[in-house]
Amino acid sequence: MSSPTSILIVPGWRDSGPGHWQSLWAERLPSALRVVQDDWITPTRSAWVGQLEKTVLVAPHPVVIVAHSLGCIATTHMGAQAAAKVCGALLVAPADPERRAILSDFAPVPYAPLPYRSIVVASSNDPYCPIRLAGAYARAWGSEFVRLQNAGHINIDSGQGEWPLGWALLQSLDGSGAQMDVVHAAAGL
């Protein structure tokens, strides 16, 4: 049996609303931690990464991150202390912060290997990040790369719903399948 992990949901710009696979998974894993940002609309790297690091560091077990869009980029900006507590990351539909001025504070995106196992999932027609750039991120980060055909931004607008493939990828990262020991964090942590 694998050691317990804390599942950490890291939404992207403007949060992941009802029906988004991250929100559905949070309901399925009621004890999962969810990073809650003070400002979902005008994000700053220092605030977002600080909140993410704070949430990682209070988790009682090694952390498996489940990030979407700008949450992926915030994850790659984490400092060494927080990153050392991460044992895996599912990085879905990473954003390109150079494509939108409001996200430019997150540029440049780190191009260094991540110190934990990671999987980047990207779509051939994501309007927020070209597939070639997502592939370059995966190579730079040392991540496994899963390329989806015509899955948009891998969100509710592209019809993903529960997104069973992502759930299977999460379980492959966590290593304990149904035995996941997840923890609950107070809102606004």
Side-chain angles (χ1 to χ4, degrees):
M1 178 189 270
S2 299
S3 58
T5 57
S6 297
I7 305 298
L8 179 59
I9 296 172
V10 185
W13 182 41
R14 296 191 273 187
D15 201 2
S16 298
H20 189 287
W21 58 268
Q22 282 188 314
S23 298
L24 296 173
W25 292 8
E27 292 169 11
R28 193 177 199 181
L29 300 167
S31 299
L33 294 156
R34 184 179 182 119
V35 176
V36 178
Q37 298 294 348
D38 289 332
D39 187 346
W40 290 108
I41 306 304
T42 53
T44 63
R45 182 168 68 187
S46 62
W48 274 46
V49 174
Q51 189 67 6
L52 171 57
E53 289 174 339
K54 178 179 166 186
T55 308
V56 166
L57 292 171
V58 300
H61 305 293
V63 171
V64 174
I65 288 177
V66 179
H68 184 255
S69 193
L70 191 60
C72 299
I73 306 307
T75 297
T76 66
H77 279 293
M78 277 194 310
Q81 184 183 6
K85 193 163 179 187
V86 176
C87 61
L90 181 61
L91 305 170
V92 181
D96 175 2
E98 294 179 11
R99 291 177 82 81
R100 289 189 176 279
I102 197 157
L103 307 182
S104 65
D105 191 38
F106 289 79
V109 173
Y111 272 77
L114 298 172
Y116 43 80
R117 182 174 171 225
S118 58
I119 301 171
V120 171
V121 183
S123 169
S124 63
N125 67 339
D126 188 332
Y128 303 110
C129 183
I131 191 73
R132 293 179 80 181
L133 180 57
Y137 287 161
R139 285 187 300 280
W141 300 337
S143 306
E144 298 166 51
F145 186 52
V146 177
R147 177 190 170 126
L148 302 181
Q149 202 59 28
N150 300 319
H153 195 47
I154 313 174
N155 59 6
I156 191 165
D157 293 338
S158 57
Q160 296 310 312
E162 282 281 342
W163 194 41
L165 171 63
W167 184 256
L169 291 170
L170 170 61
Q171 291 196 339
S172 80
L173 263 177
D174 179 63
S176 62
Q179 299 296 321
M180 284 192 282
D181 178 18
V182 292
V183 297
H184 181 68
L189 216 187

